[in-house]
Amino acid sequence: MMDANIFRIEGSVTACRRHGSGHINETYLVSTDAQRSYILQKINRAVFRDVDALMRNIALVTDYLSGQESGPPCVAALIPTRAGANWYEAEDGSAWRMYACVEGGVCLDAARGPDDFRQSGRAFGAFQRKLAAFDASQLTETIPRFHDTPERLRVLFAAAKQDALGRAKEVRREIDFAAARAQEASTMVRMLQRGELPLRVTHNDTKLNNVLLEAVTGEPLCVVDLDTVMPGLAGNDFGDSIRFGASTAAEDERDLERVEMSLLLYEAYAEGFLGECGQSLTEAEIETLPLGAKLMTLECGVRFLTDYLSGDTYFHTTRPGQNLDRCRTQLRLVADMEKKWAQMARLTQKVARR
Ligand code: GN1
Ligand code: MG
C-alpha cells in the first residue's frame, strides 16, 4: 500500500480500506485523525496508458465545473501531492491520485426505487448541460474509440477466432446473438459520421454508482469517475445509465429470470435526465435515446464476453465466470428491450414533450 501522506492531506492516517465496486481502478477510503476522509485510487495503467493526459482532462473538467455557480451536482476536488502534482508515480511504477471525500453522499449499486434513479438522471443530465459550452478540443481521448460499438464487435469476433483459452465453444449462442445485431450496432456511429447527431462532451460511464446522492434527501450531490469524460454521444450517456440502473438485477446476476429492463425505472431516469438537458438536445438525439440504451447494453455485453474469451484481463473479477455472467445479463437486457421497444420509444417521447 502506498503512503497517503504523499498527498496534501490534513492529519495523520488512521485507516485505509478498500472502497466501492469499480471494475477498473483500485479505490481506497482514507481517514485521518483530523476527521477528514479522502478517496485514494490506484489508476489502472493497462487501461489508461497516458496518465498525464487522463489527469489533465479531469483537472480541466473539474476546474470548469467548480467555476460554475449554477447548483449541483458538484465534482470531487482533486488533492495534489505535497510536491504539487495531480498524481503520483510510486517506485513500482503504479499511479495514484487522491480526491476529497464528498461528505454526506451515498453511492448505490442498485436504485432503492424510481426516485433514486430519477435523481441520478438529474445528475448526469445537469452534467451534460453544464458541459455544453466546454471546449472539447482541450480533451485528450483517454481511450480511443471507447463507444465505437461496431469496433467492439469486431474485437469480439477476433477474440473468438483467436480463442486463446478454448472458451469460444461455450459461448456460441452469445456470439451469434451479437452477430445478429451487427448491422444495427453501427447505427449511432453512422449517424454521427453523417452529421445527424452532434458530438458533445459526455461522461461515458454513467453507471448509477458513478453518482453520489445526498444521504438524507436523495438529491444529486456529485458526479464521480471522470476518467472517460471525452467527446461522445448524449444517447450513449443516457443509454449506459439505463443498461446498469434500470435492470432489475445485478450486473453479474446468474439467474437470468431475474433480469429485466424496468419500464418504470426507464421512465424515471428519462424524467430526471431530460428535465435537466432535454432543452439542449436535438430531436434526433431524443429519438435515439432508446437505441442508446440498447446499444450501450449490447456493447457492454460484447466487452464482457471479449474479456472472458481473452482470459479476464480487463475487468476486475472476484470469481471465475463472472465476466460471462455479466455478458449474459447484458444480452438478456437487450432481448428484453427489444420486447419493450415500442413502449421505450413512447415513454421517451412522452417525457420529452412535457
Ligand atoms: C467499467 O470503472 P467502472 O467500473 O465505473 C468500465 C465501463 C463499463 C463498466 C461496466 C474505463 O466502469 O466502460 O461500462 O465497467 N470503464 C472503463 O460495469 O472501461
Ligand atoms: Mg466507476
Side-chain angles (χ1 to χ4, degrees):
M1 208 31 232
M2 78 146 290
D3 179 8
N5 259 304
I6 294 284
F7 292 92
R8 221 172 271 168
I9 57 173
E10 277 180 52
S12 318
V13 177
T14 51
C16 176
R17 51 190 161 77
R18 258 320 259 276
H19 183 75
S21 52
H23 297 339
I24 307 294
N25 299 318
E26 267 174 39
T27 305
Y28 299 86
L29 181 65
V30 174
S31 318
T32 76
D33 60 7
Q35 313 307 320
R36 297 277 169 193
S37 309
Y38 300 92
I39 296 293
L40 176 67
Q41 283 189 310
K42 180 179 176 182
I43 301 168
N44 185 327
R45 297 194 87 163
V47 170
F48 299 107
R49 302 286 169 139
D50 186 348
V51 181
D52 274 322
L54 170 77
M55 295 309 295
R56 191 169 52 241
N57 278 0
I58 294 174
L60 281 166
V61 170
T62 302
D63 284 353
Y64 182 83
L65 291 175
S66 311
Q68 292 192 352
E69 278 162 39
S70 55
C74 71
V75 282
L78 280 168
I79 305 291
T81 65
R82 296 198 186 271
N86 59 17
W87 65 283
Y88 175 75
E89 181 166 45
E91 264 167 33
D92 64 359
S94 56
W96 298 82
R97 69 172 166 216
M98 187 177 264
Y99 291 104
C101 190
V102 177
E103 299 299 332
V106 285
C107 170
L108 303 170
D109 283 315
R112 293 162 297 192
D115 282 341
D116 282 338
F117 202 37
R118 185 179 298 107
Q119 300 295 15
S120 81
R122 283 181 60 202
F124 287 119
F127 183 84
Q128 164 86 142
R129 175 172 46 73
K130 286 177 164 193
L131 285 173
F134 181 86
D135 173 13
S137 70
Q138 302 174 81
L139 296 176
T140 308
E141 258 197 292
T142 48
I143 304 178
R145 309 184 82 169
F146 191 58
H147 285 321
D148 183 336
T149 313
E151 174 62 14
R152 297 286 191 179
L153 276 162
R154 284 190 285 275
V155 173
L156 168 67
F157 300 144
K161 195 162 172 216
Q162 192 181 3
D163 198 15
L165 288 103
R167 290 175 171 176
K169 57 184 180 304
E170 288 172 57
V171 297
R172 278 269 78 93
R173 271 217 328 228
E174 286 74 15
I175 295 171
D176 290 347
F177 183 97
R181 287 153 185 83
Q183 268 289 335
E184 193 182 13
S186 57
T187 314
M188 308 257 292
V189 175
R190 270 190 279 120
M191 288 179 80
L192 173 67
Q193 283 162 354
R194 290 196 299 253
E196 293 165 16
L197 291 174
L199 200 58
R200 302 197 180 265
V201 176
T202 49
H203 183 281
N204 292 305
D205 187 8
T206 53
K207 292 205 278 199
L208 177 66
N209 58 21
N210 280 336
V211 38
L212 303 180
L213 301 181
E214 213 283 323
V216 180
T217 62
E219 294 274 318
L221 201 58
C222 184
V223 166
V224 299
D225 196 350
L226 305 183
D227 291 337
T228 49
V229 174
M230 288 183 280
L233 297 175
N236 287 344
D237 262 12
F238 176 86
D240 201 28
S241 282
I242 299 301
R243 168 193 86 71
F244 187 85
S247 172
T248 52
E251 195 180 53
D252 63 349
E253 173 63 54
R254 276 179 272 203
D255 179 1
L256 293 179
E257 293 298 312
R258 299 172 66 170
V259 181
E260 262 189 64
M261 196 283 301
S262 155
L263 285 167
L264 185 72
L265 291 174
Y266 181 94
E267 182 173 11
Y269 190 87
E271 285 167 356
F273 186 80
L274 288 174
E276 289 291 337
C277 72
Q279 300 295 328
S280 50
L281 300 186
T282 66
E283 264 316 300
E285 278 178 305
I286 291 172
E287 223 166 275
T288 52
L289 297 181
L291 189 59
K294 179 171 167 182
L295 295 188
M296 279 301 96
T297 312
L298 178 68
E299 179 185 291
C300 204
V302 162
R303 292 173 62 197
F304 288 139
L305 186 55
T306 304
D307 200 30
Y308 178 71
L309 288 171
S310 326
D312 307 304
T313 57
Y314 185 92
F315 296 104
H316 174 68
T317 54
T318 52
R319 56 177 168 80
Q322 193 174 17
N323 273 321
L324 179 55
D325 295 333
R326 288 172 177 154
C327 158
R328 288 182 169 146
T329 62
Q330 301 309 293
L331 302 189
R332 177 81 174 198
L333 287 169
V334 170
D336 194 42
M337 288 180 197
E338 288 173 349
K339 276 190 226 145
K340 296 172 176 164
W341 199 243
Q343 294 161 84
M344 285 167 74
R346 203 175 328 116
L347 281 176
T348 309
Q349 291 303 329
K350 184 180 103 181
V351 174
R353 304 281 159 251
R354 271 183 203 152

